[in-house]
Amino acid sequence: MDWMKIVAALALIMFIVYLFPRARHMMENSPKGSSADWMGFVVPILVIVLFVMLLVQLV
Amino acid sequence: MDQNYSTIGRSSRTKQAIEINKVLRNTYLLLAMTLLFSGLTASISMMMNMPPMTYLISVIGGMVIAMFVLPRFAHSTAGIGIVFLITGLLGFGLGPILSMYASVPNGSNIIMLSLGGTGVIFMGLSAYVLATRKDFSFLGGFLMVGFLLVLVAAVANIFLAIPAMSLMISAVVIMLMSGFILHDTSRIIHGGETNYILATIGLYMTIFNIFISLLQILGIMGGDD
C-alpha cells in the first residue's frame, strides 16, 4: 500500500530530524578513541558478524 | 589529615560504586520485565490476527512516546509505566510480523533462531563490557552518524525496494546496535547514565532492532521471505 510507504518514510524523516542535533552534539563532544580502543570495538563486532553468518547457515 | 582525605575519598568511591550497581541492577530487572511484557503483547496481537499496518502504527506510536513523553517522566515512577506502554506497543506491533513468519515453511525456526541469536548477542556484548570495564564513550558520535546514514538509506529503500539493500541495511543495523549495547552499558558502569528508565529504553531499542534485523536477514537468506 502506497500510503503505508509514505507514512513510513515520513516517520523515518521525522526521526532523522529529531536525531540530527543530537548526532552533531555527540560528534563534537565524544572523546577520541585510541587505536587500542577501536580494536576493543572492532573485535567483538567481527565476532557478531561471524555469529550472524553461523545463524544464516543454520536456517 | 591525609588519612581523613583518603577515607573520605574511599567512602565516596564506594558510594558511587553502590549507586552504579543499583542502576545496573534496576536496568536489567526492568529490561527483563519489559521484554516479557513485549512477548505477552506480541502473543495477544498474534491471537487477534492484527493486520500488517499494526507494526507501522505501533512503531510510530512508540517512537513518538519515547521521544516526546518519556523524557518528561523519566525521573518519576510514572516513567516506568510509560516504558511499559512503549515496549508493550512495540511488542504488539511485532505480532503481525511474527504471524507472517510463522505461516511460512521454516518460519518458526527463523523466529526461534532470531530470538536466540538476539539473546546471545545482547548477553555476550554486555558480559564483554562488564568483564573488561572498557570505556566505549568514544563510540557515541560514530554510532549516531552511522545510525542517521542507515535511516536515510532505509527511507530510500522504502521506495526502491531492493532486497540486497534491505539485507545490507539489516546487517549494518545489527553492527550499529551491537555498538550501542557496548556504548550504553559502558555509560552505565562508568556513571554516565544514572537513570535506569532511560537506560532500559535505550537497551530495549537495541534488542528490538537486532531482533527485527536478524528476522529479516534469516528470512531473506532462508529463502522464505
Side-chain angles (χ1 to χ4, degrees):
Chain A
M1 276 183 276
D2 279 349
W3 70 266
M4 273 178 73
K5 286 184 176 182
I6 293 165
V7 171
L10 286 175
L12 283 176
I13 291 167
M14 186 186 84
F15 198 37
I16 291 167
V17 170
Y18 175 81
L19 284 180
F20 187 74
R22 191 172 294 186
R24 199 166 61 182
H25 178 264
M26 284 177 91
M27 272 298 282
E28 287 164 0
N29 297 294
S30 287
K32 297 277 172 274
S34 64
S35 55
D37 287 335
W38 281 100
M39 281 307 287
F41 165 64
V42 170
V43 171
I45 296 301
L46 283 177
V47 173
I48 297 297
V49 171
L50 291 173
F51 177 66
V52 172
M53 286 165 73
L54 174 74
L55 288 179
V56 169
Q57 295 297 316
L58 290 174
V59 177
Chain B
M1 190 79 169
D2 280 350
Q3 200 178 356
N4 282 345
Y5 281 131
S6 164
T7 309
I8 290 167
R10 222 177 7 242
S11 154
S12 157
R13 273 197 302 275
T14 310
K15 220 170 164 181
Q16 195 191 10
I18 290 170
E19 191 57 40
I20 287 169
N21 281 337
K22 195 175 151 193
V23 174
L24 196 62
R25 197 183 55 235
N26 287 342
T27 301
Y28 285 146
L29 187 65
L30 187 57
L31 187 62
M33 285 162 68
T34 52
L35 287 170
L36 285 174
F37 186 60
S38 286
L40 178 72
T41 56
S43 309
I44 293 170
S45 169
M46 284 175 84
M47 281 190 288
M48 290 169 71
N49 267 328
M50 295 304 288
M53 74 175 81
T54 309
Y55 175 71
L56 183 63
I57 295 166
S58 300
V59 168
I60 293 174
M63 261 167 53
V64 169
I65 298 170
M67 286 189 299
F68 302 110
V69 181
L70 184 64
R72 293 182 187 189
F73 295 96
H75 297 279
S76 66
T77 44
I80 297 173
I82 291 168
V83 169
F84 274 99
L85 178 66
I86 296 167
T87 56
L89 208 54
L90 291 173
F92 194 77
L94 270 182
I97 294 186
L98 295 178
S99 295
M100 188 192 78
Y101 276 94
S103 66
V104 297
N106 204 25
S108 51
N109 188 27
I110 290 172
I111 294 173
M112 292 316 290
L113 275 177
S114 303
L115 205 58
T118 305
V120 169
I121 291 172
F122 177 73
M123 285 192 278
L125 290 171
S126 302
Y128 173 71
V129 181
L130 294 174
T132 60
R133 299 195 71 81
K134 281 181 195 269
D135 183 2
F136 287 101
S137 58
F138 69 94
L139 285 176
F142 169 77
L143 293 173
M144 283 302 278
V145 171
F147 190 48
L148 281 183
L149 291 176
V150 162
L151 289 176
V152 171
V155 172
N157 206 39
I158 286 174
F159 300 102
L160 298 172
I162 304 169
M165 195 163 161
S166 297
L167 199 62
M168 183 62 77
I169 290 170
S170 297
V172 175
V173 166
I174 291 177
M175 287 190 267
L176 284 173
M177 292 303 134
S178 299
F180 274 115
I181 291 173
L182 296 174
H183 177 261
D184 292 357
T185 310
S186 138
R187 275 195 75 203
I188 298 171
I189 63 169
H190 290 100
E193 180 60 86
T194 53
N195 185 310
Y196 70 92
I197 292 175
L198 293 176
T200 300
I201 204 73
L203 289 174
Y204 178 90
M205 291 297 185
T206 61
I207 292 172
F208 185 85
N209 283 319
I210 289 174
F211 177 65
I212 289 286
S213 301
L214 263 183
L215 211 52
Q216 192 158 20
I217 290 176
L218 299 182
I220 292 173
M221 300 305 273
D224 294 324
D225 199 10

